[in-house]
Amino acid sequence: HLDNPEDIFIWESYLSKNPLEGKTVEEAKLFVLGLNKMLKATEREDGLKRFTTALADKKFRDSKDRELNVAYKSSEVVIGSQNPKYRWYVAAAAMVGIMMTVWFAIDTSDKQLIAKENSGEVTNTVLTENSITKTSTGERKTVFLPDGTKVTMNVKTTLTVDSSFGMNVRLVKLDGEAFFDVQHDTRSPFIVQLKDFKVKVLGTMFNVRSYSGDKNSETALVKGKVEIEKNISHEKLFLKPYEKVILPNTPVVASAAQGENHAKNEVLTAFDVKPLTISNDGNSISETGWMQNRLEINDETFLELQNKLERWYGVRIRFDDEEVKQYKFTATFENENIDQALKAMQLSYQFNYTKKDNQIMIVK
């Protein structure tokens, strides 16, 4: 458990003795963190019940295994043993079991949700071909595409379903941020078309952020495999689970000559691949924090935060000092309003601001 000092010590000791296992442990950690906040408490408890039942029914323990005492508390697993070596075996087994039940819970809950949608028990929108849906400032919503793919849209996002969706490919266009849980279909690849690149998948779970006006766009993969292809150079990259790719957005071009320069720059711009980021609370991943109404800020300058804060709080922010633009912040906001957020940020740097209606001026 991430908050248990004893567990932290055990895992750190294990990694110090087995450094080659670092990547595997980190992937397992990100796997659980990425899904922890996406499941309802009842789903986690149900998954753990199924897991404990499966362990009780499975006859794989030998005489040494009988020394182990496995106790489960609510949504965490506490494992005790007189022999540290066997404790590790059970810890690994428990981790695999929980991961399996987590995926089962997600798959089951989503199928039940789609079934309810078809029966009219819930109000999530089912989109049709050649349709457009948008979210406004402060609005987030979940929609289903014609194939059953589930899309959760963040604030100020536009999603367009292509008129030929489902014929040869399942094409959608995105301006904004959305989390996709794609229905698997080998006959019809799923493509998210963005301003500077596209994301191609068969069936997977991933987050895409590509707002017009932002410096960068980002695709974060939770499950499956995605192909990223640049629109101009057609350079490709395959992402693995727990990875994200960051690409700079090209500005709007005003002439053909500028367009040629941007094309050359795109070829020279390398894919920036990074691991997913563990959130500040240590219990999830930052890339999908917005789905739990969390504004995650990770070592970002005030200038980089400008568009994010404007979309999140429905305000307009301006700076009256160049130095203030470069102040860097790391924070998580959930229920705070813009005034509370700015006051918390003032604890890190000395700056002032004035606010009139939804207009905010940041000064030193």
Side-chain angles (χ1 to χ4, degrees):
H1 191 264
L2 295 174
D3 297 325
N4 189 317
E6 181 183 1
D7 289 343
I8 293 173
F9 174 77
I10 291 172
W11 282 108
E12 288 179 346
S13 299
Y14 174 77
L15 288 175
S16 67
K17 298 176 182 178
N18 302 274
L20 296 180
E21 297 297 323
K23 183 178 180 180
T24 301
V25 172
E26 184 63 22
E27 286 184 352
K29 181 179 180 180
L30 285 170
F31 185 103
V32 175
L33 291 177
L35 297 173
N36 182 45
K37 295 293 184 179
M38 296 162 64
L39 290 176
K40 297 178 181 178
T42 54
E43 293 170 343
R44 288 199 297 270
E45 292 173 1
D46 184 53
L48 286 168
K49 287 179 182 178
R50 287 197 300 272
F51 178 49
T52 54
T53 301
L55 280 181
D57 293 340
K58 191 170 181 61
K59 309 298 183 182
F60 69 94
R61 298 174 181 172
D62 58 20
S63 59
K64 293 181 180 179
D65 289 328
R66 294 191 186 96
E67 300 174 6
L68 301 172
N69 173 33
V70 182
Y72 295 87
K73 300 190 304 181
S74 62
S75 62
E76 65 177 335
V77 182
V78 179
I79 304 172
S81 171
Q82 298 176 358
N83 189 326
K85 179 175 69 174
Y86 297 114
R87 179 173 183 171
W88 278 112
Y89 293 158
V90 176
M95 177 67 77
V96 172
I98 291 174
M99 290 164 68
M100 292 173 64
T101 55
V102 162
W103 282 122
F104 181 82
I106 283 183
D107 183 63
T108 302
S109 63
D110 282 351
K111 288 180 179 178
Q112 290 173 344
L113 186 56
I114 292 174
K116 290 181 179 179
E117 169 64 33
N118 293 334
S119 65
E121 294 180 27
V122 294
T123 59
N124 297 82
T125 303
V126 179
L127 302 180
T128 60
E129 296 81 359
N130 197 30
S131 63
I132 300 176
T133 185
K134 299 181 179 181
T135 55
S136 58
T137 299
E139 178 189 13
R140 300 171 189 83
K141 67 180 178 182
T142 297
V143 298
F144 288 93
L145 301 181
D147 65 336
T149 289
K150 181 181 177 182
V151 185
T152 305
M153 301 169 60
N154 202 355
V155 298
K156 300 284 286 184
T157 294
T158 300
L159 179 69
T160 304
V161 183
D162 191 72
S163 58
S164 61
F165 185 95
M167 293 182 181
N168 295 312
V169 297
R170 294 172 287 168
L171 176 65
V172 298
K173 298 177 182 178
L174 180 74
D175 183 353
E177 183 169 21
F179 185 89
F180 293 85
D181 187 355
V182 180
Q183 288 291 306
H184 185 78
D185 186 350
T186 56
R187 299 168 300 177
S188 182
F190 189 93
I191 297 176
V192 182
Q193 183 66 63
L194 306 158
K195 177 177 176 288
D196 292 312
F197 63 99
K198 61 183 178 183
V199 183
K200 180 180 179 182
V201 303
L202 294 176
T204 187
M205 299 173 70
F206 61 99
N207 191 80
V208 178
R209 188 184 74 242
S210 182
Y211 284 101
S212 298
D214 276 10
K215 181 181 178 180
N216 297 314
S217 290
E218 177 182 294
T219 298
L221 182 60
V222 175
K223 173 188 176 185
K225 184 179 181 180
V226 300
E227 175 189 282
I228 312 296
E229 180 180 348
K230 296 180 180 179
N231 291 338
I232 298 176
S233 66
H234 300 292
E235 184 183 357
K236 296 181 180 180
L237 169 77
F238 287 96
L239 270 188
K240 296 183 293 185
Y242 329 118
E243 288 183 340
K244 65 180 178 183
V245 61
I246 302 171
L247 284 172
N249 292 332
T250 58
V252 178
V253 297
S255 67
Q258 286 178 309
E260 291 177 3
N261 290 333
H262 289 311
K264 292 178 182 178
N265 290 337
E266 186 199 47
V267 175
L268 296 174
T269 302
F271 289 110
D272 186 9
V273 179
K274 297 181 178 181
L276 299 187
T277 306
I278 297 176
S279 65
N280 300 318
D281 64 7
N283 292 322
S284 59
I285 57 174
S286 295
E287 287 74 13
T288 57
W290 63 269
M291 297 177 69
Q292 291 78 46
N293 197 38
R294 292 199 322 273
L295 176 61
E296 296 274 358
I297 299 173
N298 294 287
D299 196 31
E300 299 172 69
T301 66
F302 230 147
L303 185 60
E304 292 170 336
L305 288 172
Q306 182 179 8
N307 289 339
K308 183 184 288 189
L309 292 172
E310 288 181 342
R311 287 191 296 264
W312 194 267
Y313 292 110
V315 297
R316 296 294 300 276
I317 296 176
R318 295 294 178 265
F319 297 96
D320 194 31
D321 187 279
E322 290 299 317
E323 182 180 346
V324 174
K325 291 181 180 180
Q326 304 309 316
Y327 290 168
K328 281 194 173 184
F329 301 93
T330 295
T332 298
F333 298 119
E334 292 190 45
N335 301 313
E336 294 82 0
N337 57 37
I338 184 62
D339 286 294
Q340 292 169 329
L342 290 173
K343 288 185 187 325
M345 295 166 73
Q346 285 176 325
L347 298 176
S348 298
Y349 291 96
Q350 291 185 352
F351 66 89
N352 295 297
Y353 71 93
T354 58
K355 181 172 177 284
K356 183 179 181 180
D357 297 329
N358 67 335
Q359 305 291 321
I360 295 176
M361 176 65 72
I362 309 291
V363 298
K364 189 171 181 181

